[in-house]
Each structure stands twice: as C-alpha cells, then as structure tokens.
Amino acid sequence: MRRIACFLFLSYGITTAAAQTAAVHLNPDTTYQTINNFAASDAWSCQFVGQWPDAKKNAIADWLFSTDTTASGQPVGIGLSMWRFNIGAGTDKQTDIRDEWHRAGTWETQEGQLWFLQAAKKRHVPQFLAFLNSPPVNLTLNGKGFATKGVCNISPDKYDALAVSITEAISGIHKKTGILFDYISPVNEPQWDWSDDKQEGCPYNNEQISGVTKSLSKALINKKIPTKIVIGEAGQLNYLYAKLNKPDKGEQIHAFFDNHSPYYVGNLANVKHIISAHSYFTTSPAAKAIEIRSNLAKAAKNVTFWQSEYCILGDNDGEINGEKRDYGMDAALYLARVIHYDLAVANAAAWQYWLAISPYDYKDGLIYIDKNKTDGEYRDSKMLWVLGNYSRFIRPGAKRIKVSVDNNNLLVSAYKNTDQTIYIVIVNSSKEAVKIALDKASRAYVTSDAGNLQPIAIGKTIDIPARSVVTLTNH
C-alpha cells in the first residue's frame, strides 16, 4: 500500500488564477540529505519564563514541542525535534552586560531553563544540544562574559579547565533531570569580536577552536560521557568555505575536516562530522542566497551541514527589516524562503531557529512575551507556525526527495519519513492563489492569515492560498 500511495502522489498539475498550468513532479526514489532535526534555543527568556505560572509556561511549551493533535486534527504545536540549551557563563551575578535578560547563570542556577528542558522531554522531543556563548567567567582573561578588543577571552592553558567545566555541566544536568545531551557545541559565532556589553560572547580563530575541541574530546572520553561534539556555529554561511575578511577564521570545513589541515579534528571519535553555521547576512537578494548555498553544498560534500541559528536581522537589501515585531505573514514568508533555500539548495540536515521566546520589539522570536520575570502575556507568531509546516511533519531520519515545479511563484520541497509517509511543503509568497490538481485524496495543513497549520481534508484539488505555506501529505 505504501508503494501505491507514493506512486499515486507522484505528480500533479497546477493552475494559476491566470489559467496558466504548471506541474509538480515528485520522484521519491531520488533522495538527498537525511534530516536530523528542527530546533530552537532557550536563550535567554526561558530562565524567567520557566518560572512563570504553570498554565502559561505549559501552553508555551505545548506550542514549541507538542506533536499532539486535537479531535479535529489540528496540531497543538510545531513538534520541534531538538532543543538547544544555553549553558551560561555565570554573568547573572554581574552587571557588566547591561541587559539582565542577556545574562546567563551557570547550570546550577538555571532552574527556568531546566524546566523547559524537562518540558521538552515530557513532550517527546528526541534530541538535545547544549551550547556556550562564552567560557565561564572564572576562566576568562578579563573575568567577564564578553571579550576585550576582539581577543579570544580564554588562554590555551585554560582549555582543559573549560573542558572539565563543560563535562561537569553535562553530568550535573543529567543527574538533575535525567536528560543527557546528545550534542555539545562549545563555541558560537567565533568570527565576531564580542567586545561590547550586549551579551555573552567569545571570539576564536580556527586554531583556538581546534584546541578547545581537542581538550573537550579528551575530557568527555575520560568521564565516559557519550555526548558528541559539533563545531562551527559560523556567524554566516560563507565562512565555512571562504576566507572572506577573516582568513584565520574562515574555510572552516577545510580547517577542521581536511586531514591535511593543522587544525584537523575529524579523527576524534566523539566529534561528529557536522559543520554548523548561521544563515545571517546571506539571505537577500534571492540570487545571492542561492549562490552562497550552492557553493556551500559543493564544499560540504564530505560533511553534514547544519543551519544552527537564524532570525531576521538587518535590512536584508531592503526586502525586510529585522526591527519591530511581526506577528503576521510578511516575516513568516521571508522565514519560509530562508528555510527552503537552506534545505533545498544548501542541503542542510538540520534547521535551527534562534530565540524560541523573545521579549523584544524585533523579528527574533517564535513566541513573544512581556518583558516580565515572574508573569506576563504571551503571543504566538506566524513564524512559529510556518516553521511548524516543516518541523511538525518532517521527522528525524526523513530523506529529502526530488521534486520539481515550473511555476516561479512557488517554492516546493518534499520529504519522505522513515515510515514512508511523504510531505510536500509549498511556499506561495504571491498575491494569487494557486490551484493544484491531485491524483489522490490527501490532507493539507495551511498557515496563512486565516489559520495556523489548519488541517484540510481534500479531494482531487486544493487551492494554495495567496501568501501561505502549505504542507501536503499522502498520510
């Protein structure tokens, strides 16, 4: 039956409002990358929201993690398949970072974040990653959670101590919650100077990252901790394959995974052959986004690429500005375009958002809250649910499969889960609806101005609404 379902879903015609016919062709036998996860980060709001009233924080956790559906088939949440936990540097007791909501305690004091970690586990999130923005302040050169004049804030003689600190955090959280992190990411956006008082951060060059990684690898092995190391977290995608303006911080695929490099760590048993980077500053215009991701896909043929952090920053060549909250479809459609290009052009095996919960007037959150440490109002955004058009249905182990479309108004990608169910995600950013004729009755989940992952049982045709993201399934 599964073979028949896949075959019947193989192709369908598309008719636009102007009666122009296009076609989507699906070939489940041609596969690309395996999807590892979709994720978001608990920085920094979860330290406070995790101590809000139970009803509110549980409602937020349901939106982020739940894979349940109501009796009508409405998804309760977006079903993230990984949760990113920020191990703080201990700046919560300092005032050097001017915004208290950008400081972070050490794991022993992160009760709010630990609540969300356990809430994710309770809702069957299968993977967990811990990351650091800065080494602990007791190990940094200046005693702060940010650097001085762009100099790496930890000396090589402290790498082993940093590694021990990380293993103690992993072990301590495991003992306290029963959750053992699948992955640890020890550095974040190492290309930037991190020399202001906005947030925790630490610059590194490739030699320093290699040194930290080797120390951490040894410490994890000594403590018999099976957590795997993932590295990169480059500030933008093209630092993975190009030197750009930082020759000692670029070409990271070569630096860490070419055995001819002096910084090679690919031989370490607990270092995953994963290179991660952030999609910032590479998303506009579309031609630039595609070119960078095509180059990355070629450079990353022998490693797995993760897009490990993104929200809408900057002015994006005038296409959209990161300033000001946007609960609606403008930001959501832009986000959907970025996700599509990362998955379908760069072959990202994971796609991870930045702030799951934001108190700011910025396009950086999936969920927005009042900036209140003990209680407040919360509100979802269309960005949350558009991410859900992917994360809720495309599960770990899914394969991206070949799909083509000759309608330039649509972005289409397709995936086959391990249970052989097929999901096709269609992004229609145009102001016109598109009619699709199906070979087989199916189901659609529509995110638009009118609803969030709204389930629609369909027959042989479906209108893809204007300015919408739609997930179709043969299940």
Side-chain angles (χ1 to χ4, degrees):
M1 290 298 293
R2 286 176 177 170
R3 279 181 171 272
I4 293 172
C6 290
F7 175 79
L8 290 176
F9 213 56
L10 196 59
S11 67
Y12 25 91
I14 297 177
T15 306
T16 70
Q20 295 174 337
T21 302
V24 173
H25 299 287
L26 184 67
N27 185 348
D29 295 325
T30 300
T31 63
Y32 303 100
Q33 78 270 30
T34 299
I35 301 299
N36 298 146
N37 56 69
F38 291 88
S41 162
D42 69 359
W44 292 275
S45 298
C46 287
Q47 62 184 309
F48 300 123
V49 183
Q51 300 184 67
W52 276 21
D54 284 347
K56 292 182 177 181
K57 64 187 181 184
N58 274 297
I60 290 171
D62 282 342
W63 276 347
L64 291 169
F65 307 130
S66 179
T67 55
D68 292 339
T69 56
T70 67
S72 65
Q74 174 69 50
V76 173
I78 68 167
L80 293 176
S81 46
M82 192 172 80
W83 186 235
R84 293 176 61 95
F85 181 94
N86 175 28
I87 298 177
T91 56
D92 59 327
K93 304 302 183 184
Q94 301 181 340
T95 58
D96 299 287
I97 294 174
R98 61 183 183 267
D99 184 352
E100 184 179 3
W101 287 64
H102 279 179
R103 305 172 197 161
T106 56
W107 72 268
E108 296 95 335
T109 66
Q110 293 178 293
E111 293 300 326
Q113 290 173 244
L114 292 175
W115 185 89
F116 269 94
L117 192 70
Q118 292 169 298
K121 184 69 171 180
K122 182 178 179 180
R123 290 161 178 80
H124 310 296
V125 173
Q127 299 174 37
F128 297 92
L129 178 147
F131 68 97
L132 282 74
N133 288 317
S134 164
V137 293
N138 66 309
L139 298 178
T140 60
L141 292 173
N142 61 10
K144 300 177 182 179
F146 56 92
T148 301
K149 296 182 178 180
V151 175
C152 181
N153 207 15
I154 185 170
S155 59
D157 63 302
K158 296 290 179 63
Y159 291 169
D160 286 348
L162 171 60
V164 169
S165 174
I166 293 171
T167 62
E168 289 175 348
I170 293 172
S171 297
I173 292 171
H174 184 209
K175 290 177 183 177
K176 195 166 187 175
T177 67
I179 296 169
L180 181 62
F181 290 109
D182 300 274
Y183 307 103
I184 176 68
S185 177
V187 305
N188 176 66
E189 296 186 344
Q191 289 81 17
W192 311 144
D193 285 351
W194 296 116
S195 298
D196 59 33
D197 59 356
K198 184 179 179 183
Q199 68 179 73
E200 293 182 353
C202 184
Y204 297 87
N205 62 31
N206 291 341
E207 180 180 7
Q208 291 159 341
I209 295 172
S210 180
V212 168
T213 302
K214 290 172 182 176
S215 287
L216 180 55
S217 173
K218 181 176 64 176
L220 290 169
I221 291 170
N222 288 343
K223 296 291 186 180
K224 298 182 180 179
I225 297 173
T227 302
K228 303 300 183 184
I229 303 168
V230 292
I231 55 175
E233 303 277 6
Q236 58 189 56
L237 300 184
N238 35 6
Y239 280 121
L240 294 186
Y241 63 84
K243 292 181 180 180
L244 299 180
N245 57 338
K246 297 180 184 288
D248 61 341
K249 299 183 176 186
E251 294 185 321
Q252 291 191 307
I253 294 172
H254 165 76
F256 303 133
F257 294 108
D258 186 330
N259 60 11
H260 296 101
S261 166
Y263 313 130
Y264 178 59
V265 294
N267 59 329
L268 302 178
N270 51 6
V271 172
K272 294 289 288 185
H273 279 226
I274 292 169
I275 192 74
S276 61
H278 304 168
S279 280
Y280 301 125
F281 315 119
T282 62
T283 58
S284 294
K288 173 185 173 182
I290 292 169
E291 178 184 9
I292 289 172
R293 284 156 180 77
S294 296
N295 290 336
L296 173 54
K298 294 174 185 176
K301 285 184 177 179
N302 297 319
V303 294
T304 297
F305 163 58
W306 280 9
Q307 194 296 121
S308 57
E309 184 182 314
Y310 181 74
C311 69
I312 299 173
L313 292 182
D315 67 358
N316 300 288
D317 289 284
E319 292 184 341
I320 191 169
N321 195 297
E323 300 285 346
K324 303 296 181 182
R325 294 185 181 187
D326 185 337
Y327 300 111
M329 288 303 297
D330 285 345
L333 288 167
Y334 189 86
L335 179 67
R337 190 181 86 177
V338 176
I339 298 172
H340 173 83
Y341 288 149
D342 286 339
L343 295 173
V345 182
N347 291 326
W351 204 93
Q352 300 163 10
Y353 194 81
W354 177 217
L355 299 183
I357 306 168
S358 171
Y360 297 106
D361 190 16
Y362 207 88
K363 297 178 182 66
D364 58 357
L366 299 175
I367 297 167
Y368 287 97
I369 59 166
D370 295 338
K371 199 174 185 182
N372 188 314
K373 293 195 291 184
T374 59
D375 196 359
E377 298 303 315
Y378 61 96
R379 182 174 176 179
D380 59 339
S381 72
K382 294 294 182 181
M383 288 188 287
L384 171 77
W385 299 107
V386 158
L387 176 56
N389 277 93
Y390 295 89
S391 60
R392 176 63 179 78
F393 307 106
I394 304 163
R395 306 307 296 172
K399 296 275 190 182
R400 186 168 70 86
I401 59 179
K402 186 175 182 179
V403 64
S404 61
V405 58
D406 56 359
N407 182 313
N408 292 332
N409 290 326
L410 301 177
L411 298 176
V412 182
S413 58
Y415 309 85
K416 179 167 64 176
N417 280 335
T418 57
D419 66 358
Q420 305 304 303
T421 55
I422 289 176
Y423 290 92
I424 299 176
V425 186
I426 300 175
V427 181
N428 180 15
S429 296
S430 74
K431 296 179 180 179
E432 301 291 341
V434 175
K435 185 177 290 294
I436 296 179
L438 301 173
D439 288 332
K440 180 179 173 60
S442 186
R443 181 173 291 270
Y445 296 86
V446 181
T447 300
S448 66
D449 288 329
N452 303 319
L453 296 183
Q454 184 177 1
I456 301 172
I458 55 176
K460 292 187 177 182
T461 63
I462 178 177
D463 285 328
I464 306 297
R467 291 170 50 78
S468 71
V469 180
V470 178
T471 302
L472 301 174
T473 178
N474 65 339
H475 178 64

